[in-house]
Structure formats: C-alpha cells, structure tokens
Amino acid sequence: MKKRVSIILVILAGLKLCAQNTYVFFGSFNHDKETEGVYVYELDTLKGKLSKVTSAKGVLNPSFLTLSEDGKYVFACTDSKTKNAGSVSSFEFNPEKRSLTFINSQKSGGENPVYLAAHKNGKWLINGNYTEGSVSVYPISENGWIQPRVQNFQFSEGSVNPDRQDRAHIHSTVFSPDFNYVFLPDLGADKIRAYRFDSEVKEPLKEADKPFTQAVLGSGPRHFAFHPNGKFAYCIEEMGGAVSVYRYDAGTLEPIQRINTHSDHLKGDFESSDVHISPDGRYLYASNRGSENNIAIFSILNDGTLKTVGYQSTKGKHPRTFTIDSTGKFLIVAHPVSGTAVVFKRNTETGLLKKTGREVKLNGVSTVQIRKY
C-alpha cells in the first residue's frame, strides 16, 4: 500500500512539473505613476477566465509590451503620449513567485514610443517612436537591464494628408522570421522601411538594399505581421482601412493584394489598428476602432492572399491591440476607451470568435501579450 501511495505521489509531482500556466500581460495608459500600469493575469484555458496575479506601479503610460524569447523579461514603451518625454522599461516576471519586478528604464530617443521588438537571442531591443518618427536600438544585459541606446535613426518626410502625415510617424518595429531584417511601417510617410540587422556588431541596424516599400498614398501603414511559413507579410493600414499583402523574400516585399478591413457601407475616417495571424497560418485577424469596434476575419489562401470571412464585434470601445495565444485557441482584445479586456475562443476550423468568461475592467488598457510558462 505504501509503495502504491509513493508511486502516485511521484506521478502527481511529475504532472505538476509538466503543467504549464498561461499568463496574460497588459499595459495601460495609466496617466499616473502612482497607479497600476502593468498587469499580469492568469488565463484559465478551459473556461477562458482571467484572474489577476500581480501588477506594477512606478511607470507612466506603458502603452505597448513585448516579452523576451524566454519569457523572463517584460519590456514596455513608457512615458508614451507625454510631452517631451519617452522611455523604454524592463521588468522581470517570475512565474514561481508570481511576481513582476521593475529593472530599469532608458530614454526612448524620441517622443511617444509605441512599439517594441525583442531579438530572439535576448541581446537586443528595438523601439519605434511615433511623434517625430524615429527608431532606437538598445543592447540588453543577461539580467534584463536595458543598456543606453547605441543607434537612433530619425526620419522626416511626410505624405499627402497634411493633418495626419506632416512628417514621419514610425508605428511598429518588426523582425523578419530569421531576425536578419527589421521592418518599420511609417504611417506618416506611407512607407514600410527596411533595415538589415546584424546581431554580432555594436551597431546592428543598417539600411537594407531596398530601403523601403511604397504603400498606397494616404493609407498610413501601422502594424505588420509575417505568415508562419515566412513567405508572406501583411501590413494593416490605419488611415486606408485595409490590409496590404506582400510576398516576402530576403528583405524585400512584393505587393500582391490589398483588401478592405471594413464592410462596404463604411466610408472614410478609418481607424484600423492591429493585425495577427493564427499559429496554423490559416486565418488573419485585423482590428478596427472608431465606429466599428470589430475584428475583420480573413482566410489565408495558399498563395498568401486573403478572403473575407466576416466581422466580429470586440464587445468594447477602441480595440487598439489584440493577440492570439500559441495554441490558437484564444484571442484577447485590449480596449483603452472602454477600459476592458475581452477574451474570445477561436474556432480553429472556421476562424470565428466567441466571447468567453467575463470581461476584465482595466483603466486605459492599451496592449496585451500571452505566454505559457
């Protein structure tokens, strides 16, 4: 009997070691360092329920988050939407202790940082600054400490809309699948800028042989995503209300399609914002703010082009960002205007979404990331 009990205990201990928890990280426009700015929740992967784990104060407007490849560090755009300010900050997340600890901050090299990308080797961080259109590169120490920036590129030219495109506005910084290139959608210049990235040198960013891809004038390129097969890339255009599809090869983009993210009845004043692809590469999702507050769902055909499936209300106001978990079962949306985070279950066959669990109230919630530990 004792032997059987011992065997059972060993099995249970093994199961506990193998068990993985899914954590969800939120950033927000908190507008006050004394209030919570970064939040960590646990996702119940059976019921889709979010339960708070911890949070962090002491930073202002952590508007965008990204995680290190190993999930140990959380990097944030901070001092966003703050006059004459801008920074990037790092935190350590410990899933065993369920703690989030501030590490340090560095100046962002430009006003209103809006996007961060971490290199897979854990040694580099790239930040995009929206207001005056710039990008900064930082080395990362082994302990998650952000070193002072080693490069900062400023862009100036605008485009055809004087109200929105008086100058460059870098809206995201996205590594290619092999991490040898970085793409910078520039809403102000209607360009997708391209740079080589050599992680073994002190100044890793160098303009690519083809330095940019021209987008449709007045379209306002915003966020950018690669297909899991690495052959196609997709750019959501904030002002044009569309997704442009590109064939990708070794740092170059070849346009093959442009498709609306909105229903035909909507005319002008688009506010398209975020784009993600399901892990199996079968579906693309694109969020629309403004009057629609929905996600457009597309099936991805074998040649990389998109076919509209339908539109799903996000059950909140201003779906600025969203993300899909690594299993493809869940999609979570952050709404800064309604201050809500909403969890949806994905039908992996049809691509359609169904709200699950209760929405979580988070003041000014602006960004979301999901990670298994």
Side-chain angles (χ1 to χ4, degrees):
M1 182 65 180
K2 287 183 178 180
K3 185 177 181 181
R4 181 181 296 177
V5 171
S6 297
I7 292 173
I8 291 172
L9 289 174
V10 169
I11 291 172
L12 289 174
L15 289 173
K16 187 174 182 181
L17 287 173
C18 293
Q20 286 188 306
N21 294 331
T22 298
Y23 293 97
V24 184
F25 302 82
F26 295 104
S28 66
F29 293 113
N30 59 347
H31 300 293
D32 181 359
K33 287 186 178 182
E34 300 306 311
T35 63
E36 296 169 301
V38 182
Y39 306 81
V40 184
Y41 279 70
E42 186 171 352
L43 175 67
D44 182 331
T45 54
L46 295 178
K47 299 179 180 179
K49 179 183 177 183
L50 290 170
S51 303
K52 187 176 180 181
V53 173
T54 188
S55 63
K57 301 179 182 179
V59 291
L60 185 67
N61 291 350
S63 63
F64 189 87
L65 305 179
T66 196
L67 303 179
S68 61
E69 184 74 10
D70 60 7
K72 188 174 181 180
Y73 302 109
V74 181
F75 301 109
C77 292
T78 41
D79 295 306
S80 299
K81 290 192 174 183
T82 304
K83 190 70 174 176
N84 299 319
S87 60
V88 293
S89 301
S90 64
F91 301 80
E92 181 177 1
F93 177 63
N94 187 317
E96 287 76 28
K97 296 180 179 178
R98 296 164 69 87
S99 63
L100 185 68
T101 306
F102 176 76
I103 299 174
N104 82 315
S105 294
Q106 295 285 358
K107 294 294 185 182
S108 61
E111 192 174 312
N112 195 14
V114 291
Y115 202 99
L116 281 170
H119 195 281
K120 66 177 179 179
N121 66 11
K123 297 179 180 180
W124 297 101
L125 190 68
I126 300 183
N127 167 65
N129 300 298
Y130 178 82
T131 298
E132 81 290 16
S134 65
V135 59
S136 298
V137 183
Y138 308 84
I140 303 296
S141 300
E142 290 184 2
N143 60 0
W145 188 274
I146 305 174
Q147 299 294 334
R149 64 182 180 273
V150 294
Q151 287 179 289
N152 176 257
F153 291 85
Q154 297 274 338
F155 308 103
S156 58
E157 75 271 31
S159 190
V160 297
N161 186 324
D163 294 327
R164 298 288 311 279
Q165 298 177 308
D166 59 318
R167 60 165 302 126
H169 296 303
I170 300 299
H171 221 309
S172 55
T173 58
V174 180
F175 280 107
S176 61
D178 60 8
F179 286 82
N180 290 331
Y181 293 89
V182 177
F183 291 88
L184 313 172
D186 186 337
L187 181 146
D190 287 322
K191 293 178 177 180
I192 302 172
R193 303 182 185 276
Y195 278 74
R196 287 183 174 273
F197 194 89
D198 184 351
S199 64
E200 300 303 317
V201 299
K202 291 183 178 180
E203 296 185 350
L205 215 57
K206 181 181 179 181
E207 194 173 78
D209 294 337
K210 183 181 179 183
F212 67 88
T213 298
Q214 182 67 57
V216 171
L217 295 181
S219 63
R222 180 181 171 96
H223 284 185
F224 194 72
F226 282 95
H227 192 280
N229 66 16
K231 297 178 181 179
F232 308 107
Y234 303 84
C235 185
I236 191 164
E237 298 163 354
E238 176 175 337
M239 298 165 59
V243 171
S244 283
V245 183
Y246 299 91
R247 187 174 288 111
Y248 176 70
D249 181 47
T252 61
L253 300 169
E254 176 193 348
I256 57 177
Q257 184 193 24
R258 187 168 184 261
I259 186 170
N260 289 340
T261 61
H262 54 84
S263 53
D264 292 337
H265 74 273
L266 189 66
K267 306 295 181 184
D269 294 325
F270 306 117
E271 293 186 59
S272 300
S273 57
D274 203 7
V275 60
H276 292 281
I277 298 167
S278 60
D280 61 10
R282 296 178 60 190
Y283 292 96
L284 179 142
Y285 299 82
S287 60
N288 297 297
R289 298 166 296 177
S291 61
E292 291 195 296
N293 292 313
N294 67 14
I295 285 180
I297 304 170
F298 303 91
S299 59
I300 303 176
L301 307 183
N302 290 335
D303 63 357
T305 59
L306 304 177
K307 181 180 179 181
T308 303
V309 172
Y311 306 90
Q312 167 72 57
S313 167
T314 61
K315 310 294 184 182
K317 293 182 180 179
H318 206 78
R320 183 175 186 264
T321 64
F322 66 95
T323 194
I324 302 170
D325 79 309
S326 60
T327 68
K329 293 180 181 178
F330 293 96
L331 184 151
I332 303 179
V333 187
H335 303 96
V337 174
S338 57
T340 54
V342 181
V343 181
F344 295 88
K345 274 191 176 180
R346 284 187 64 247
N347 184 316
T348 55
E349 290 302 313
T350 66
L352 299 178
L353 306 173
K354 183 178 180 180
K355 183 178 180 294
T356 183
R358 292 183 178 179
E359 66 182 38
V360 174
K361 293 290 291 183
L362 292 171
N363 187 42
V365 61
S366 60
T367 183
V368 55
Q369 298 286 351
I370 308 175
R371 169 82 188 211
K372 270 190 177 182
Y373 290 83

